[in-house]
Amino acid sequence: MKTADQKPPRAIVAAVQLSSVSDAEFEASLAELRQLAKTLGFEVAATFTQKLAHINAGAYFGTGKREELRLLREQEGAGAILLDHEISPSQSHNLEKEVGCEVMDRTMVILEIFHRHARSRYARAQVEIARLGYMAPRMREAAKLAGPKDRARSGTGGRSGGESHGELDRRKIRDRIAELQKELAGMGAERKTQRARRGERAGLARVALVGYTNAGKSTLMRALTGSEVLVANKLFATLDTTVRALHPETVPRVLVSDTVGFIKNLPHGLVASFKSTLDEALEASLLLHVVDASDPGFERQLAVTEEVLEEIGARAVPRLLVFNKIDRGGDEAALRARYPGCIVMSARRPGDVAKLREAVVAFFQERLVEAELFLPWSAQNMRGEIFATCAVLEERAGAEGAFLRVRGEPADVKRLREQFGKAASINPS
Ligand SMILES: Nc1nc2c(ncn2[C@@H]2O[C@H](COP(=O)(O)OP(=O)(O)OP(=O)(O)O)[C@@H](O)[C@H]2O)c(=O)[nH]1
Ligand SMILES: [Mg+2]
């Protein structure tokens, strides 16, 4: 934590604009990198750019520009340079030598944020695997270029454990990754048991909030479920999935899960690590794709989220587009015309949240089926379960038991029928 008299470290945000990238796209990406820098606790001192047809193979920027960047860094008293691309270990090494400070590429910045925000043992292990995968080739490169005596670079690079490049060799990294993967597999089994204990089963109404980082997923989760999940104006505030029931409770009972946010160029290692976290999304019957309607770059963010959903195999899951933060800006009429069936709202307006809740409930109610259940007088202890899972529309008393006309999830109704069939045959009268 910073104290009042401690100034935040200063950084320069820098990028090459390739000829294939439009000015608007480039600016949006830089704005996002500045946001990422702030999330890491940096004060952004300046932005530095160069237009190039190709990224310089040796040291990212062209020769003259590297000298300019060194001068700017000195003038601004910046201790780090954040690049908007992923660069190779040797490019990073060369550039650092010329500019005289630490260089973090976009992947490293994102990995560092994930590292700092990971809370659960599960998320920590996932992030560590991704970081080791990223660091392994860089350590080899550094060791090769600088010789065995070179110590690890200090600072915000986040190399944990204080080990030098030489100490943590390739094999150690491989062993550590294997160990972490084993741990994760164990935790995965634990999570499955927990899910089973929560009474989750096929057919249960489940909704997952997905979307670009900072779109307002956790805020909506809080509003929809009355729970206290973390909401913060930083990127990747949420790394762990939380699951809560829609509140007030509905029939059928709907479970909502909040998930990790997406971002452009999400490091590949992280996509792989977070696949299991995103299983929640895959198991959902409905995805609420939350988009920040007030962000000028929302279209790109929407497209990135769709791409990641495709990558994790969630393409077939039905989804509802939710344009959030309309209180901050955005063209409501244009959105409705362009994305038929979307919801335009603000998580800050209780009326809007109620409408979203209704839309979710309606989605699940449409799937419901009506059926008649026969509940023998000898099995009245099962009434509770019927009332908990279905809406009871009508009840008639017969000589041997009650007839209940219910509406519920197809899977629930089927299961109840099977159970009562058994109860009836055990107690024939
Ligand atoms: N003005 C306004 N701000 C909102 C709205 N919804 C969320 N916010 C703010 O946006 C910021 C991000 O909200 P979160 O709910 O943490 O976003 P998230 O999608 O969970 O973000 P990650 O966990 O980082 O992926 C917070 O400062 C919220 O208070 C809204 O409808 N209007
Ligand atoms: Mg969140």
Side-chain angles (χ1 to χ4, degrees):
M1 277 276 127
K2 284 195 306 267
T3 54
D5 56 339
Q6 251 182 333
K7 281 209 182 108
R10 288 160 71 79
I12 293 174
V13 159
V16 164
Q17 182 177 5
L18 294 170
S19 32
S20 57
V21 177
S22 73
D23 288 352
E25 223 178 302
F26 186 63
E27 199 24 71
S29 190
L30 279 175
E32 188 171 279
L33 185 60
R34 281 192 287 266
Q35 200 54 45
L36 289 166
K38 275 185 210 149
T39 299
L40 269 188
F42 283 113
E43 181 190 329
V44 178
T47 301
F48 182 87
T49 65
Q50 178 178 28
K51 286 189 180 184
L52 283 176
H54 304 283
I55 283 170
N56 182 288
Y60 187 67
F61 286 113
T63 323
K65 271 284 176 178
R66 300 202 291 269
E67 177 56 17
E68 236 180 78
L69 181 55
R70 185 183 66 80
L71 291 171
L72 179 67
R73 175 193 95 66
E74 283 171 4
Q75 184 190 317
E76 295 291 347
I81 290 170
L82 274 47
L83 298 183
D84 203 21
H85 282 104
E86 181 172 328
I87 59 172
S88 74
S90 67
Q91 282 173 320
S92 156
H93 182 86
N94 295 338
L95 189 57
E96 281 188 346
K97 251 174 54 187
E98 288 196 44
V99 296
C101 74
E102 182 179 20
V103 170
M104 292 174 83
D105 67 3
R106 187 180 173 96
T107 302
M108 186 174 179
V109 168
I110 294 175
L111 283 171
E112 182 60 21
I113 294 175
F114 270 69
H115 172 65
R116 291 196 193 169
H117 291 183
R119 291 285 168 267
S120 71
R121 218 153 54 89
Y122 200 74
R124 279 175 189 275
Q126 284 174 318
V127 175
E128 199 182 337
I129 290 177
R131 270 161 46 99
L132 288 171
Y134 171 85
M135 275 153 55
R138 285 162 174 80
M139 288 180 161
R140 279 203 299 279
E141 180 75 15
K144 211 166 66 200
L145 291 167
K149 290 215 178 66
D150 189 34
R151 302 288 302 175
R153 290 172 297 176
S154 59
T156 39
R159 290 166 186 82
S160 54
E163 285 151 295
S164 78
H165 293 153
E167 285 161 341
L168 251 186
D169 61 16
R170 208 165 155 171
R171 208 172 101 212
K172 273 193 187 150
I173 290 186
R174 221 175 38 216
D175 290 352
R176 179 71 186 135
I177 290 180
E179 187 182 288
L180 286 165
Q181 271 162 346
K182 223 163 100 189
E183 245 176 66
L184 276 179
M187 286 188 255
E190 232 169 77
R191 280 155 74 99
K192 264 211 182 108
T193 323
Q194 277 171 4
R195 279 187 204 170
R197 221 177 287 139
R198 281 205 301 254
E200 291 166 26
R201 52 187 189 271
L204 191 84
R206 303 199 53 170
V207 182
L209 290 155
V210 296
Y212 212 74
T213 181
N214 214 40
K217 300 177 292 299
S218 298
T219 309
L220 283 173
M221 172 88 174
R222 281 172 90 139
L224 288 170
T225 66
S227 64
E228 291 292 309
V229 297
L230 174 72
V231 169
N233 195 12
K234 30 182 202 184
L235 304 186
F236 303 117
T238 307
L239 290 190
D240 289 299
T241 304
T242 42
V243 181
R244 300 275 185 280
L246 207 60
H247 179 85
E249 288 224 353
T250 51
V251 175
R253 190 161 170 252
V254 177
L255 291 182
V256 186
S257 40
D258 185 12
T259 64
V260 60
F262 300 149
I263 195 163
K264 184 186 77 133
N265 302 339
L266 188 69
H268 261 271
L270 278 180
V271 175
S273 322
F274 276 80
K275 264 196 182 138
S276 54
T277 307
L278 288 164
D279 276 353
E280 299 281 349
L282 294 179
E283 283 173 19
S285 317
L286 175 66
L287 298 180
L288 297 180
H289 177 172
V290 185
V291 182
D292 178 352
S294 71
D295 193 307
F298 82 85
E299 285 178 33
R300 191 181 58 96
Q301 301 181 348
L302 193 157
V304 167
T305 303
E306 291 293 334
E307 271 165 37
V308 180
L309 287 174
E310 178 135 345
E311 210 169 309
I312 63 167
R315 195 156 83 121
V317 185
R319 72 196 54 163
L320 193 57
L321 256 184
V322 179
F323 289 101
N324 188 34
K325 304 200 191 182
I326 198 70
D327 58 298
R328 286 183 65 202
D331 185 342
E332 180 162 353
L335 288 171
R336 286 191 196 286
R338 175 126 180 249
Y339 303 94
C342 73
I343 288 185
V344 184
M345 65 170 298
S346 162
R348 301 247 160 112
R349 297 182 193 141
D352 287 5
V353 174
K355 272 194 206 134
L356 175 62
R357 187 178 175 282
E358 274 165 33
V360 169
V361 173
F363 173 86
F364 287 102
Q365 282 182 346
E366 266 170 31
R367 305 196 313 176
L368 300 188
V369 291
E370 264 187 47
E372 180 150 276
L373 298 175
F374 172 68
L375 182 63
W377 297 128
S378 57
Q380 290 302 310
N381 55 339
M382 284 164 127
R383 281 183 79 84
E385 188 171 354
I386 299 183
F387 277 83
T389 43
C390 300
V392 177
L393 307 172
E394 198 190 326
E395 182 168 356
R396 273 183 302 117
E400 280 139 30
F403 293 91
L404 301 161
R405 202 154 63 75
V406 300
R407 250 170 91 75
E409 285 274 319
D412 283 333
V413 169
K414 184 163 168 270
R415 191 175 41 84
L416 287 169
R417 274 210 156 133
E418 283 164 6
Q419 275 184 24
F420 298 135
K422 232 189 279 161
S425 59
I426 291 166
N427 303 293
S429 52

